[in-house]
């Protein structure tokens, strides 16, 4: 038996942003706090949302100072704003960071405490101020997941926080918001979404529902990733990658991610590498390590993405998958840790910490092959 958790409403398609008015009405909410970041405001990506709200005389305020890879400290000010501003809802607008921030802000403003109190293995299932999530990148899938990731700035740990209490009440998935996304962010967030699909498909917590979401996501994302990287204005490709990202979010919210994410978060936290980029650095190597634990599923994924031919056997399909993941990184210009500017000696000196943080996140235990602490250290070294 599997209990599937989803937002009560998911609205998608070009121009669906304007549905915000009907969604607020149906939720009987009339005073939202918009949680976003300064880029959304300075590039005026948020302008149409503000215009719709003003047109329908909905009183709102904007908190625009969420940061990439949000920390326990970065969410304290908006918690106070939410608590004292008589708001009845949050509109989380932007990439994964504003949406993840909004989830933490809602939980803390409603139930108090520190973000470390909400860290996995604690499971947060209480109702909080409802969130309408509007992603502007096709990547994190945070609009449909019951997870948020907040960094503890004292330990540099990326804390995975889990539970129904972090699930947005509604999501609006409008690919038009992603049309102006720069190529680097497009690639990084796109590989993150692809990783969600692949990892949830091979996860030990996978089920028939999540498998089907994951396969549909791979089919939408993989063949269009290079296109959106090279030709960001391609509406058809953007639409497919955006929907694929949401389906991948549904898949991993209900089946979890695995070793790539487990090892990616410590790199991100210690070296400030964007989440999608550290996933991309790891995906080919970790897939190679994990294939023996789920060879049939990886081969099927390879076929669904059009990498292997339908009549290729399992071994050939999996070999083609690994080669193609390396090719994809090369085509999407994913740097190695060295090219990104990480100091190798420093990285080596932190290997034990990185491996411990990876295991503590819980994600490696969902992997088809569950690695030991020493195996994780060796895998980190393989990236160099
Ligand atoms: Fe991710």
């Amino acid at each position: 038996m599997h209990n599937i958790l989803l937002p009560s409403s998911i609205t998608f398609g070009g121009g669906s942003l304007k549905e915000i008015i009907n969604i607020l009405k149906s939720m009987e909410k009339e005073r939202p706090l918009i949680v976003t970041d300064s880029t959304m405001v300075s590039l005026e990506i948020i302008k149409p949302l503000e215009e719709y709200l003003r047109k329908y005389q909905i009183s709102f305020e904007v908190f625009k100072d969420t940061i990439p890879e949000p920390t326990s400290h970065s969410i304290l000010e908006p918690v106070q704003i939410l608590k004292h501003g008589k708001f009845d809802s949050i509109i989380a607008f932007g990439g994964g960071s504003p949406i993840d921030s909004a989830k933490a802000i809602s939980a803390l403003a409603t139930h108090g405490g520190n973000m470390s109190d909400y860290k996995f293995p604690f499971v947060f299932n209480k109702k909080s101020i409802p969130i309408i999530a509007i992603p502007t990148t096709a990547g994190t899938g945070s609009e449909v997941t019951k997870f948020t990731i907040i960094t503890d700035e004292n330990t540099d740990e990326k804390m995975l926080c889990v539970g129904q209490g972090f699930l947005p009440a509604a999501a609006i998935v409008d690919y038009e918001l992603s049309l102006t996304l720069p190529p680097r962010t497009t690639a990084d967030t796109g590989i993150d979404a692809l990783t969600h699909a692949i990892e949830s498909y091979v996860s030990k917590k996978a089920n028939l529902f999540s498998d089907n979401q994951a396969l549909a996501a791979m089919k939408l994302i993989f063949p269009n990733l290079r296109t959106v990287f090279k030709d960001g204005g391609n509406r058809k490709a953007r639409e497919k990658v955006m929907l694929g990202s949401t389906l991948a979010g549904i898949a991993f919210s209900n089946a979890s991610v695995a070793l790539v994410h487990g090892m990616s978060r410590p790199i991100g936290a210690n070296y400030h590498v964007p989440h999608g980029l550290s996933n991309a650095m790891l995906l080919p190597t970790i897939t190679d390590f994990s294939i023996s634990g789920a060879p049939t599923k990886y081969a099927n994924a390879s076929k669904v993405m059009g990498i292997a031919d339908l009549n290729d056997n399992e071994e050939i399909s999996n070999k083609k998958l690994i080669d193609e993941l390396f090719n994809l990184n090369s085509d999407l210009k994913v740097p190695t840790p060295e090219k990104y500017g990480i100091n190798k000696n420093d990285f080596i000196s932190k290997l034990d910490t990185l491996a411990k943080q990876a295991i503590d996140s819980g994600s490696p235990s969902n992997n088809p092959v569950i690695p030991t602490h020493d195996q994780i250290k060796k895998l980190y070294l393989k990236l160099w």
Side-chain angles (χ1 to χ4, degrees):
M1 191 193 80
H2 298 278
N3 180 29
I4 304 301
L5 295 171
L6 295 169
S8 335
S9 137
I10 302 172
T11 307
F12 77 94
S16 56
L17 177 66
K18 61 178 177 296
E19 279 304 299
I20 184 67
I21 305 302
N22 289 330
I23 290 168
L24 283 167
K25 269 189 199 157
S26 70
M27 290 167 64
E28 299 182 333
K29 302 299 175 195
E30 51 192 23
R31 180 154 167 76
L33 174 67
I34 299 179
V35 172
T36 188
D37 63 31
S38 53
T39 310
M40 292 296 130
V41 175
S42 62
L43 296 182
E44 299 191 337
I45 297 169
I46 203 166
K47 212 172 157 191
L49 171 65
E50 294 178 323
E51 282 172 359
Y52 289 135
L53 294 175
R54 278 195 201 105
K55 188 174 165 194
Y56 289 89
Q57 280 138 23
I58 291 167
S59 154
F60 65 94
E61 281 178 37
V62 179
F63 177 78
K64 66 168 177 55
D65 293 326
T66 63
I67 58 169
E69 324 287 321
T71 65
S72 314
H73 184 76
S74 76
I75 54 174
L76 293 180
E77 186 195 344
V79 165
Q80 293 308 317
I81 294 172
L82 185 62
K83 264 170 118 170
H84 302 296
K86 296 198 170 70
F87 297 100
D88 59 13
S89 51
I90 296 178
I91 299 174
F93 186 91
S97 297
I99 299 176
D100 274 6
S101 299
K103 292 174 174 186
I105 293 163
S106 165
L108 289 186
T110 317
H111 301 286
N114 299 309
M115 214 49 221
S116 54
D117 303 333
Y118 294 79
K119 184 174 118 176
F120 181 81
F122 176 75
V123 177
F124 173 62
N125 282 332
K126 287 185 181 166
K127 271 200 169 176
S128 304
I129 295 168
I131 296 170
I132 302 165
I134 308 176
T136 57
T137 62
T140 68
S142 189
E143 70 278 7
V144 290
T145 74
K146 58 179 180 188
F147 306 116
T148 184
I149 309 271
I150 304 294
T151 301
D152 180 339
E153 58 271 278
N154 295 322
T155 59
D156 262 355
E157 181 190 2
K158 284 203 165 190
M159 299 182 290
L160 172 65
C161 306
V162 179
Q164 205 167 344
F166 295 120
L167 186 68
I172 299 176
V173 184
D174 184 345
Y175 73 88
E176 289 182 0
L177 296 168
S178 73
L179 287 170
T180 54
L181 206 62
R184 184 71 266 140
T185 318
T186 299
D188 297 346
T189 51
I191 296 184
D192 184 29
L194 182 67
T195 309
H196 296 151
I198 295 174
E199 290 214 286
S200 56
Y201 184 56
V202 301
S203 162
K204 286 196 184 294
K205 291 185 184 156
N207 54 71
L208 196 55
F209 179 92
S210 62
D211 278 357
N212 279 283
Q213 305 297 317
L215 288 170
M218 286 180 226
K219 218 171 168 175
L220 287 165
I221 298 166
F222 181 81
N224 293 292
L225 258 187
R226 288 174 170 98
T227 311
V228 289
F229 179 66
K230 278 187 263 167
D231 175 18
N234 187 315
R235 301 173 74 90
K236 278 192 175 157
R238 285 284 194 192
E239 181 171 29
K240 286 177 181 164
V241 176
M242 190 65 138
L243 180 59
S245 165
T246 297
L247 297 184
I250 292 172
F252 92 84
S253 190
N254 292 287
S256 292
V257 280
L259 186 58
V260 177
H261 272 77
M263 290 178 63
S264 170
R265 292 183 205 108
I267 297 181
N270 286 276
Y271 297 102
H272 306 289
V273 182
H275 171 70
L277 194 53
S278 49
N279 276 345
M281 289 172 183
L282 287 156
L283 183 61
T285 303
I286 303 307
T287 303
D288 192 18
F289 169 79
S290 308
I291 272 180
S292 65
T296 309
K297 274 199 152 178
Y298 278 110
N300 196 32
S302 181
K303 286 177 184 173
V304 161
M305 289 189 274
I307 297 166
D309 295 328
L310 288 179
N311 50 5
D312 283 340
N313 67 25
E314 213 165 88
E315 199 184 340
I316 291 174
S317 301
N318 284 333
K319 164 117 189 35
K320 285 186 177 176
L321 174 63
I322 300 301
D323 291 347
E324 182 58 10
L325 290 178
F326 279 110
N327 290 339
L328 182 68
N329 272 4
S330 158
D331 291 349
L332 299 186
K333 302 191 172 25
V334 173
T336 59
E338 189 168 20
K339 286 219 173 104
Y340 187 77
I342 297 175
N343 180 294
K344 190 175 180 182
N345 290 335
D346 186 75
F347 189 86
I348 290 171
S349 74
K350 285 192 178 140
L351 274 179
D352 273 312
T353 310
L354 298 174
K356 186 183 179 308
Q357 288 178 348
I359 290 174
D360 286 352
S361 75
S363 302
S365 63
N366 305 324
N367 206 55
V369 178
I370 300 174
T372 62
H373 180 93
D374 280 345
Q375 279 176 314
I376 291 183
K377 283 167 67 179
K378 278 188 191 139
L379 286 167
Y380 273 132
L381 282 176
K382 269 197 160 182
L383 305 182
W384 294 82

